[in-house]
Amino acid sequence: MKAIRIHAHGGPEALRYEDVPVPVPGAGQALIRIEAAGVNFIDIYHRTGLYPVQFPYTLGQEAAGVVTALGPGVSGVAVGDLVAYTAVPGAYAEFAAVPADRLVPVPVGVTARQAAAVLLQGVTAQYLATSTYPLGAGQTCLVHAAAGGVGLLLCQIAKHLGARVIGTVSNEAKAALARGAGADDVILYTQQDFEVEVKRLTGGAGVRVVYDSVGKTTFDKSLNCLTRRGMLVLFGQSSGPVPPFDPQTLNQKGSLYLTRPTLAHYVATREELLARAGQVLGWVADGSLSVHIGREYRLAEAAEAQRALAGRETTGKVLLVP
Ligand SMILES: NC(=O)c1ccc[n+]([C@@H]2O[C@H](COP(=O)([O-])OP(=O)(O)OC[C@H]3O[C@@H](n4cnc5c(N)ncnc54)[C@H](OP(=O)(O)O)[C@@H]3O)[C@@H](O)[C@H]2O)c1
C-alpha cells in the first residue's frame, strides 16, 4: 500500500510517498481501508518536530473508512462497518491497523468524507464549548480563526448552545464563511485591532471566554478582551507558541482563568469518546452541524495540503483521499 512517511523532521519536502506493507491487525485491532484522512496542524507539528516522533513515522491522526479485517479479541465492530477515529497515528495511508476501542461508528446519513472531516476538529469544538467553558444563553465568546477547521464548527456549536459569537478572520471571504456559520460579529484582525473591536461590540464589558487557537500573535490581547473572572482557552498555536507567561498577569487583568486543553484528555475513556463523537456525528446526521470541506488532495499531495494549511490559505477542513 501507499503511505506518507517521514524519516527525519523538516519542511513539507520531508514527506515521502512510499510503498509499505499493509499492516496486520494485532490483538484488539481492526484493519481499516481508509476512504479519507483529515489534515491537521498536529501533523505539521509531528513533521517539524515541535512534537517529536520515532522514525520512520506515518503521519496523520484522523480518518474514516471501512473495516476489512479484525485481529484477535475484537468485539463490537464487524468487517464492512464504516468507522472513524482520531488520535491514533498513521492515517496518511491506504490502510491502518487501529485499536478497536478507538473506533467510532459512522451513523447512517454521514459520509466517510464528512466523518473524517469532523472527528478531530468537531470533537474539539464540542469539548471546548460544552466542557472547557460550557457556553449558554446570555454569554458572549470570542472565536479566533473563525473560518478555520475548528473555527467554523465552534461558531455553529456555540450558537446552537445559545451564545453570542464574535469571530476573527484575516479576510472578507473568510468573514462571509464565519457569518454563515453563525458568528454574530466578525472582526478582520489583520486590519482592525481586535481588542478595541471586542470592547466596542460588548459596550466595554468584554467576553466571558476567548477560544484562542492562534497563540503567539493573539494571546496578550485575548487576555485583554475578557470580563472579570473570564477564561482564556488557549488550544492551539497556529501563529507560533506563546512565550513563557507570568501567572501574576491573571490577577492584574481581573482574576482571569487560563487553560491549555488538548483533545486526548477529553476523550481518554471509550465512554467519553463515544459520547462526544456520537453527539457531533449526530448533529451532522440531522443537519444541525454543517461540515465545510474546503479542499481535498490526493494522498500523494500531502505536502501541498500541509503547505496550504500552514500558509493560511484554507477554510474549514482539508482532506486527503487515498
Ligand atoms: N488542543 C486541541 O485539542 C486542538 C484540537 C484541534 C486543533 N488544535 C489546534 O488549533 C489550531 C487550529 O487548528 P485547525 O486545524 O482548525 O486550523 P485552522 O484554524 O483551519 O487553520 C489555522 C488558521 O489560523 C489562522 N492563523 C492566524 N495566524 C496564522 C499564522 N501566522 N499562520 C497560520 N495560520 C494562522 C488562519 O486563519 P485566518 O487567515 O483567518 O487568520 C489559519 O487559516 C492549531 O494550532 C491546532 O493545533 C488544537
Side-chain angles (χ1 to χ4, degrees):
M1 70 165 190
K2 293 291 188 186
I4 296 282
R5 302 201 301 177
I6 52 170
H7 298 260
H9 293 302
E13 68 288 346
L15 269 55
R16 296 208 204 142
Y17 183 58
E18 297 183 327
D19 287 304
V20 295
V22 173
V24 176
Q29 291 184 328
L31 185 66
I32 313 300
R33 190 186 68 241
I34 292 174
E35 296 200 356
V39 179
N40 292 287
F41 261 85
I42 193 166
D43 310 337
I44 296 171
Y45 303 146
H46 287 142
R47 188 198 78 217
T48 60
L50 184 65
Y51 300 170
V53 296
Q54 303 263 314
F55 305 118
Y57 183 81
T58 306
L59 289 165
Q61 295 276 322
E62 171 183 45
V66 176
V67 177
T68 57
L70 299 175
V74 173
S75 59
V77 60
V79 169
D81 286 358
L82 180 60
V83 294
Y85 65 90
T86 185
V88 177
Y92 286 17
E94 290 178 307
F95 288 88
V98 179
D101 64 2
R102 293 281 92 193
L103 296 174
V104 173
V106 176
V108 173
V110 178
T111 66
R113 277 173 163 77
Q114 287 176 315
V118 85
L119 207 62
L120 191 154
Q121 293 166 336
V123 173
T124 297
Q126 191 270 3
Y127 87 71
L128 291 173
T130 64
S131 298
T132 309
Y133 187 97
L135 288 171
Q139 292 172 335
T140 304
C141 64
L142 176 63
V143 176
H144 285 307
V150 177
L152 285 177
L153 297 164
L154 185 52
C155 287
Q156 293 178 73
I157 294 171
K159 285 306 291 179
H160 187 73
L161 295 169
R164 176 183 175 199
V165 179
I166 303 174
T168 62
V169 296
S170 63
N171 62 44
E172 284 294 351
K174 290 188 177 189
L177 280 172
R179 280 193 201 95
D184 298 277
D185 300 283
V186 180
I187 301 166
L188 293 180
Y189 59 178
T190 42
Q191 297 171 27
Q192 296 166 290
D193 181 328
F194 75 81
E195 179 187 337
V196 171
E197 285 301 298
V198 166
K199 296 270 172 60
R200 184 182 67 77
L201 290 165
T202 57
V207 297
R208 293 297 307 162
V209 55
V210 179
Y211 296 106
D212 189 342
S213 65
V214 174
K216 189 175 171 185
T217 58
T218 47
F219 181 82
D220 290 339
K221 287 193 172 184
S222 291
L223 286 171
N224 297 340
C225 290
L226 291 166
T227 57
R228 261 193 307 281
R229 307 203 312 258
M231 183 184 286
L232 175 52
V233 180
L234 177 71
F235 70 97
Q237 57 230 339
S238 301
S239 69
V242 174
F245 171 78
D246 179 0
Q248 191 63 16
T249 310
L250 299 175
N251 151 24
Q252 288 157 357
K253 291 184 187 279
S255 299
L256 304 179
Y257 295 83
L258 169 65
T259 183
R260 177 54 176 93
T262 199
L263 174 62
H265 300 146
Y266 285 82
V267 291
T269 64
R270 174 135 187 89
E271 292 67 33
E272 205 171 11
L273 171 68
L274 287 179
R276 294 192 191 283
Q279 186 169 41
V280 170
L281 291 169
W283 284 332
V284 177
D286 72 17
S288 51
L289 187 64
S290 120
V291 184
H292 175 80
I293 298 171
R295 288 193 190 182
E296 278 187 24
Y297 293 85
R298 306 299 305 171
L299 181 60
E301 301 169 325
E304 194 41 51
Q306 288 197 352
R307 260 192 215 101
L309 181 61
R312 223 166 164 169
E313 291 170 22
T314 64
T315 56
K317 188 68 193 181
V318 181
L319 285 184
L320 293 180
V321 180

